[in-house]
């Protein structure tokens, strides 16, 4: 499997098509500093890469969550510097978890266009194992739009179906437990408040909780991996 297609520089038209937005939207986000400037190539043509695509997807997801442009700017400023496209995809996936399920039924051609690469039978099987893609009628697929980009990136990680399914089970179980405890905590806090206050608190808490969960998980994962590498080196 190759990531060559994902690493190929994109023109602004290609970036917009891949992200499902207009060229005008890309330019608007760039003018606001939400997207880094493109690399200027021959003939003064701007080239965009995976980091632009991942950041654009995150911006669009935050906007779909109802965040204002100013709130999105604050959110992006709080992110650590130098995040990779993979890190940004994880942020988007976590943010998307607050939204209702976004499942679309698409053709094979449309699925590959959204994925940004050809998908063979093994790729589709791995995406199905991650519950990103499900076969529908004919040559169509039900795809979880919030997980597709992350799932495509994981195609090049050498993990078996068994490990993918086991990892997904661990993440789902623990994230549900955390969500339940946080829900109970916040429910008690807003029980006696006006409905407008509850809605306002919810809108402010979502991005904060997402950021806190993701930061804590990343730190814990780094510590676990560091201990594992250290232990492996002494074996």
């Amino acid at each position: 499997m190759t990531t060559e297609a994902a690493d190929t520089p994109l023109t602004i038209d290609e970036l917009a098509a891949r992200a499902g937005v207009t060229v005008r939207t890309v330019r608007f986000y760039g003018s606001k500093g939400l997207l880094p400037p493109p690399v200027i190539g021959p003939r003064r043509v701007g080239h965009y890469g995976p980091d632009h695509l991942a950041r654009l997807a995150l911006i669009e997801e935050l906007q779909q969550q109802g965040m204002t442009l100013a709130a999105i700017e604050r959110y992006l400023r709080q992110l650590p510097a130098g995040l990779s496209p993979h890190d940004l995809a994880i942020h988007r996936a976590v943010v998307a978890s607050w939204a209702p399920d976004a499942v679309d039924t698409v053709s094979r051609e449309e699925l590959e266009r959204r994925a940004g690469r050809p998908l063979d039978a093994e790729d589709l099987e791995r995406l199905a194992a991650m519950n990103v893609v499900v076969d529908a009628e004919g040559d169509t697929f039900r795809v979880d739009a919030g997980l597709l980009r992350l799932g495509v990136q994981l195609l090049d990680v050498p993990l078996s179906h068994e490990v993918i399914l086991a990892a997904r089970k661990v993440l789902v179980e623990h994230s549900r437990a955390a969500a339940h405890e946080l829900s109970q905590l916040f429910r008690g806090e807003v029980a006696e408040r006006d409905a407008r206050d509850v809605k306002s608190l919810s809108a402010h808490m979502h991005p904060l909780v997402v950021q806190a969960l993701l930061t804590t998980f990343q730190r814990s994962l780094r510590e676990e991996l560091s201990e594992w590498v250290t232990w492996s080196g002494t074996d």
Side-chain angles (χ1 to χ4, degrees), residues 200-215:
S200 176
L201 179 62
S202 176
H204 284 84
M205 288 305 299
H206 280 187
L208 295 176
V209 172
V210 166
Q211 184 69 47
L213 285 173
L214 185 54
T215 301

Side-chain angles (χ1 to χ4, degrees), residues 49-135:
D51 54 333
H52 294 94
L53 184 61
R55 185 169 289 265
L56 184 57
L58 176 58
I59 294 169
E60 286 292 297
E61 188 62 54
L62 292 171
Q63 190 174 58
Q64 290 179 22
Q65 294 295 319
M67 292 181 66
T68 64
L69 187 62
I72 293 174
E73 291 184 61
R74 289 195 297 271
Y75 182 94
L76 294 178
R77 282 199 301 267
Q78 293 173 358
L79 296 178
L83 287 180
S84 68
H86 177 71
D87 293 329
L88 291 169
I90 293 176
H91 273 272
R92 179 181 181 268
V94 175
V95 171
S97 68
W98 291 102
D101 292 338
V103 178
D104 299 326
T105 300
V106 300
S107 66
R108 175 70 171 269
E109 181 181 4
E110 175 63 14
L111 176 60
E112 292 186 340
R113 189 191 71 81
R114 294 189 183 189
R117 58 187 283 181
L119 300 171
D120 59 25
E122 183 180 354
D123 292 333
L124 293 174
E125 187 177 353
R126 289 171 66 83
L127 289 174
M130 290 182 273
N131 208 34
V132 175
V133 170
V134 178
D135 283 335

Side-chain angles (χ1 to χ4, degrees), residues 5 10 22 48 63 73 126 157 188 196 199 203-205 208 218:
L10 305 171
T22 65
Y48 298 82
Q63 190 174 58
E73 291 184 61
R126 289 171 66 83
V157 178
R196 288 175 298 178
K199 184 176 181 180
H204 284 84
M205 288 305 299
L208 295 176
Q218 288 178 323

Side-chain angles (χ1 to χ4, degrees), residues 9-233:
L10 305 171
T11 66
I12 190 170
D13 296 278
E14 292 169 336
L15 175 68
R18 185 78 60 84
V21 300
T22 65
V23 170
R24 182 178 179 181
T25 296
V26 175
R27 288 180 173 145
F28 175 73
Y29 289 152
S31 69
K32 294 296 183 180
L34 301 180
L35 286 176
V39 176
I40 304 301
R43 293 183 291 182
R44 304 293 298 171
V45 175
H47 290 155
Y48 298 82
D51 54 333
H52 294 94
L53 184 61
R55 185 169 289 265
L56 184 57
L58 176 58
I59 294 169
E60 286 292 297
E61 188 62 54
L62 292 171
Q63 190 174 58
Q64 290 179 22
Q65 294 295 319
M67 292 181 66
T68 64
L69 187 62
I72 293 174
E73 291 184 61
R74 289 195 297 271
Y75 182 94
L76 294 178
R77 282 199 301 267
Q78 293 173 358
L79 296 178
L83 287 180
S84 68
H86 177 71
D87 293 329
L88 291 169
I90 293 176
H91 273 272
R92 179 181 181 268
V94 175
V95 171
S97 68
W98 291 102
D101 292 338
V103 178
D104 299 326
T105 300
V106 300
S107 66
R108 175 70 171 269
E109 181 181 4
E110 175 63 14
L111 176 60
E112 292 186 340
R113 189 191 71 81
R114 294 189 183 189
R117 58 187 283 181
L119 300 171
D120 59 25
E122 183 180 354
D123 292 333
L124 293 174
E125 187 177 353
R126 289 171 66 83
L127 289 174
M130 290 182 273
N131 208 34
V132 175
V133 170
V134 178
D135 283 335
E137 296 181 1
D139 194 25
T140 60
F141 302 86
R142 289 174 56 81
V143 55
D144 188 322
L147 293 177
L148 180 59
R149 283 192 178 89
L150 181 59
V152 170
Q153 288 183 320
L154 289 175
L155 289 177
D156 297 309
V157 178
L159 295 176
S160 66
H161 294 328
E162 292 76 12
V163 170
I164 290 175
L165 291 173
R168 182 176 183 277
K169 181 180 179 181
V170 169
L171 290 173
V172 169
E173 289 180 352
H174 287 276
S175 61
R176 282 179 178 170
H180 177 72
E181 291 189 28
L182 288 171
S183 176
Q184 294 297 316
L185 178 64
F186 296 148
R187 189 175 301 171
E189 177 68 19
V190 303
E192 303 301 326
R193 299 196 182 191
D194 183 85
R196 288 175 298 178
D197 293 335
V198 174
K199 184 176 181 180
S200 176
L201 179 62
S202 176
H204 284 84
M205 288 305 299
H206 280 187
L208 295 176
V209 172
V210 166
Q211 184 69 47
L213 285 173
L214 185 54
T215 301
T216 302
F217 177 75
Q218 288 178 323
R219 184 178 297 116
S220 300
L221 185 58
R222 282 196 301 269
E223 292 173 355
E224 287 290 331
L225 291 176
S226 178
E227 292 179 6
W228 176 69
V229 170
T230 301
W231 177 82
S232 299

